[in-house]
């Protein structure tokens, strides 16, 4: 079983495919598609951080061996470049910490071994959210994982959010309105939608536009500056 785990992706999230583990996630997405992804991974046996991270190389190597075509030397080169790119992204944007069953971060993270792990990822746009998904969900070789968020339908501010099967309870909060007339496995509560484990994370939302709000803020600031200038002139 341990050898099989070594072939899995960086966050060991693919363990959920066997039913051996789960990863509960809370994802916050702002109107510019920046945000934060916090997750707690529970695995059935204690691992160290190096155990988990080393799985990334093994996972990509397995992808190369499984998908390489005869006389296709460019595939391996492309996959290795992709692997290095995701490793660099992970080092910059994803934090992995061993925790106890109560969620407390364990001391000496280099040596710590645990069945419980806290994962925090930050992203500044849709492409970085997609990179986080590809790493945490082990979707490195999935062609459908090119975009998590993409335009949908005829409305200019309508978008599809599609992450595939949930590895645990997944709660997503967006700066916008979730379309309740679109059939989804999630439970909608305002601008938040929650999916239980094994449900399909797929829904449509309308991205919020803050143009009017920003204009009003600008008008207020301009008015304050004008009043301050008039008062300053009077005192002078």
């Amino acid at each position: 079983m341990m050898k099989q785990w070594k072939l899995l992706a960086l966050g060991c999230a693919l363990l959920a495919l066997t039913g051996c583990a789960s990863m509960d996630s809370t994802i916050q997405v702002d109107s510019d598609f920046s945000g934060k992804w916090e997750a707690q991974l529970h695995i059935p046996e204690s691992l160290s951080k190096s155990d988990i991270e080393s799985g990334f190389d093994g996972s990509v190597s397995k992808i190369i061996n499984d998908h390489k075509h005869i006389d296709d030397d460019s595939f391996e080169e492309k996959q290795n470049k992709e692997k290095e790119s995701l490793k660099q992204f992970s080092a910059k944007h994803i934090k992995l910490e061993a925790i106890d069953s109560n969620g407390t971060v364990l001391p000496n993270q280099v040596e710590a071994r645990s069945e419980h792990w806290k994962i925090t990822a930050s992203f500044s746009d849709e492409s970085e959210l997609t990179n986080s998904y590809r790493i945490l969900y082990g979707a490195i070789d999935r062609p459908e994982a090119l975009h998590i968020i993409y335009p949908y339908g005829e409305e200019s501010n309508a978008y599809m959010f599609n992450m595939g099967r949930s590895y645990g309870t997944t709660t997503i909060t967006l700066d916008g309105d979730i379309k309740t007339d679109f059939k989804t496995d999630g439970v909608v509560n305002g601008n938040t939608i929650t999916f239980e484990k094994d449900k399909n994370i797929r829904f449509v939302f309308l991205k919020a536009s803050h143009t009017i709000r920003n204009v009003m803020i600008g008008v207020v600031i301009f008015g304050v500056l004008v009043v301050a200038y008039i008062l300053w002139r009077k005192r002078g």
Side-chain angles (χ1 to χ4, degrees):
M1 186 68 172
M2 194 66 182
K3 290 182 179 179
Q4 180 184 357
W5 292 357
K6 289 290 186 179
L7 298 176
L8 302 177
L10 177 58
C12 277
L14 282 183
L15 283 168
L17 290 175
T18 67
C20 298
S22 64
M23 185 170 72
D24 296 334
S25 298
T26 301
I27 305 173
Q28 173 74 46
V29 182
D30 296 329
S31 59
D32 60 355
F33 299 154
S34 65
K36 189 175 184 179
W37 183 337
E38 294 183 335
Q40 287 204 8
L41 175 69
H42 180 214
I43 53 181
E45 185 174 332
S46 292
L47 295 177
S48 68
K49 183 179 292 188
S50 60
D51 288 334
I52 294 176
E53 292 178 340
S54 66
F56 183 77
D57 288 331
S59 177
V60 177
S61 296
K62 185 175 186 298
I63 290 167
I64 293 172
N65 291 332
D66 288 350
H67 292 76
K68 184 176 179 180
H69 300 290
I70 298 175
D71 298 327
D72 185 5
D73 296 329
S74 63
F75 180 83
E76 183 170 354
E77 181 181 357
K78 180 180 178 181
Q79 289 296 313
N80 281 326
K81 286 182 178 179
E82 183 77 356
K83 177 180 69 174
E84 290 305 314
S85 175
L86 289 175
K87 285 175 67 176
Q88 292 176 17
F89 176 87
S90 177
K92 183 178 180 181
H93 295 278
I94 299 178
K95 184 177 182 180
L96 182 67
E97 297 174 292
I99 58 176
D100 62 21
S101 58
N102 296 318
T104 303
V105 176
L106 298 177
N108 190 9
Q109 288 287 308
V110 175
E111 301 295 333
R113 301 179 68 87
S114 180
E115 299 175 10
H116 304 273
W117 291 85
K118 177 182 178 181
I119 304 171
T120 305
S122 61
F123 48 91
S124 61
D125 54 30
E126 185 277 331
S127 63
E128 290 190 353
L129 168 60
T130 299
N131 278 344
S132 297
Y133 160 73
R134 296 178 70 198
I135 293 169
L136 298 182
Y137 265 50
I140 301 169
D141 63 332
R142 296 182 194 172
E144 66 271 21
L146 296 176
H147 299 283
I148 294 298
I149 299 174
Y150 49 89
Y152 180 83
E154 297 180 356
E155 296 178 88
S156 60
N157 63 334
Y159 291 86
M160 172 71 75
F161 193 110
N162 187 3
M163 256 177 54
R165 186 164 69 86
S166 177
Y167 287 163
T169 300
T170 302
T171 300
I172 303 167
T173 301
L174 302 114
D175 189 6
D177 299 315
I178 298 169
K179 297 201 67 164
T180 56
D181 58 347
F182 182 85
K183 186 177 180 180
T184 176
D185 291 342
V187 177
V188 179
N189 182 13
N191 64 337
T192 296
I193 186 167
T194 301
F195 297 85
E196 297 301 323
K197 184 177 180 181
D198 295 328
K199 295 297 184 180
N200 188 29
I201 304 174
R202 185 172 182 267
F203 62 95
V204 174
F205 69 98
L206 302 177
K207 185 176 73 167
S209 175
H210 299 300
T211 302
I212 296 177
R213 184 194 67 179
N214 294 337
V215 170
M216 292 299 296
I217 292 174
V219 169
V220 171
I221 293 174
F222 179 76
V224 170
L225 292 175
V226 169
V227 172
Y229 176 75
I230 293 173
L231 292 175
W232 176 76
R233 291 283 294 178
K234 286 183 177 180
R235 288 183 180 180

